[in-house]
Amino acid sequence: MSLHPRRRRWHTQWATIVWLTVVWVFLWGDLTIGNVLAGLVIALAVTAGLRMAPIDFHGRFRPVGVLRLVVRFAADLVRASFEVSLIALRPRYVPRGAVIGVQLRSHSDLYLTLTAELASLVPGSLVVEAHRLTGMLYLHVLDVQQSGGIEAARQAVLDQEERVLRAFASDEELDAAGLGVRA
């Protein structure tokens, strides 16, 4: 049984309002009626005033894939933080940065955004441009040599995209990206 498109939109909007209200209460760190009401008013204003284009999600939540994504992201975060701190502490060392282009396999706005955000959150790399129509990401890499070269930096982004896809994509989306479904 599926919801009518208009009802689905309101269902999603109310879920967003509830989520924004919860975030508001957590930000204030105090569960009071006033905070809940203020969060509700702000959430209503945000959802009514800042209309966002809907992003279609046709995938599925894969717990093992999400676990792999989170664990590897945490490891990458620690490793990259250590590497950037070494660069900062080395006297007279000049890192050789570069802007690289990475052609992603998926053409979904959602997966492009997730991949770009995760790549930008890892110290030493920053997404400078994303072309949603072509699925191309351009990243600035702080030190190409420490990243293992341009191809290694490019492969790291593609590996990140694969983890995102294996965490959230449908079987059809995995096939379209050329990854296939793991048993």
Side-chain angles (χ1 to χ4, degrees):
M1 179 169 130
S2 94
L3 292 173
H4 186 272
R6 177 174 261 153
R7 286 185 182 169
R8 191 177 321 128
R9 188 183 82 223
W10 281 105
H11 175 61
T12 303
Q13 190 166 2
W14 279 107
T16 303
I17 290 169
V18 169
W19 174 248
L20 289 173
T21 303
V22 168
V23 169
W24 178 265
V25 170
F26 277 134
L27 286 173
W28 282 97
D30 193 18
L31 179 62
T32 63
I33 292 174
N35 265 346
V36 171
L37 290 176
L40 190 60
V41 168
I42 290 170
L44 285 167
V46 166
T47 55
L50 302 174
R51 290 275 179 213
M52 297 292 290
I55 294 179
D56 291 331
F57 177 70
H58 302 289
R60 64 183 236 206
F61 182 82
R62 300 170 190 261
V64 173
V66 171
L67 181 64
R68 285 184 183 135
L69 176 68
V70 170
V71 168
R72 180 57 191 265
F73 175 71
D76 288 347
L77 202 59
V78 170
R79 179 195 44 78
S81 297
F82 180 73
E83 289 174 356
V84 169
S85 66
L86 285 178
I87 290 171
L89 295 174
R90 288 171 72 181
R92 293 185 287 278
Y93 179 75
V94 179
R96 302 198 77 206
V99 174
I100 63 169
V102 182
Q103 179 64 56
L104 299 181
R105 294 170 282 224
S106 171
H107 296 290
S108 164
D109 289 348
L110 178 62
Y111 305 136
L112 175 119
T113 302
L114 286 171
T115 303
E117 289 298 326
L118 291 172
S120 283
L121 287 171
V122 174
S125 65
L126 179 68
V127 174
V128 293
E129 191 170 349
H131 286 275
R132 62 182 282 242
L133 294 178
T134 62
M136 189 75 151
L137 285 182
Y138 293 94
L139 292 92
H140 179 270
V141 179
L142 176 65
D143 191 1
V144 175
Q145 182 180 353
Q146 191 148 353
S147 297
I150 291 174
E151 286 308 314
R154 187 174 286 128
Q155 189 60 48
V157 175
L158 290 172
D159 292 345
Q160 183 74 277
E161 179 198 25
E162 181 176 352
R163 287 189 293 276
V164 166
L165 290 171
R166 293 205 182 275
F168 300 112
S170 67
D171 293 346
E172 294 79 23
E173 289 170 321
L174 286 170
D175 283 339
L179 296 175
V181 181
R182 287 186 182 164

